[in-house]
Amino acid sequence: MSEFGYKTRIYDDVLKNKLKSSSTVLIQGPKWCGKTTTAEQQARSSLYMSDPDNLSKNLLLA
């Protein structure tokens, strides 16, 4: 996380409401716009597919 902390985004409330009705959401957008950081604020768990320690396991599960 940056030294400035998380800045609340307009989409935070939208995401919170979507997660109330569905446990899974798809967030799309350009690189470096804050998709992951925004999602991490609401997530109960995270799975990073690019984690090198679990790459083969993640590919098998996918």
Side-chain angles (χ1 to χ4, degrees), residues 11-59:
Y11 196 74
D12 288 335
D13 289 333
V14 174
L15 179 58
K16 188 181 291 184
N17 290 332
K18 295 286 185 184
L19 286 169
K20 285 181 184 177
S21 64
S22 175
S23 61
T24 306
V25 295
L26 173 64
I27 302 173
Q28 294 180 303
K31 287 183 172 185
W32 298 102
C33 69
K35 299 178 302 290
T36 301
T37 304
T38 298
E40 287 173 335
Q41 302 305 305
Q42 301 292 324
R44 292 185 192 156
S45 64
S46 299
L47 172 66
Y48 297 95
M49 295 297 287
S50 61
D51 179 8
D53 294 334
N54 295 314
L55 182 60
S56 60
K57 179 178 138 186
N58 290 340
L59 289 173

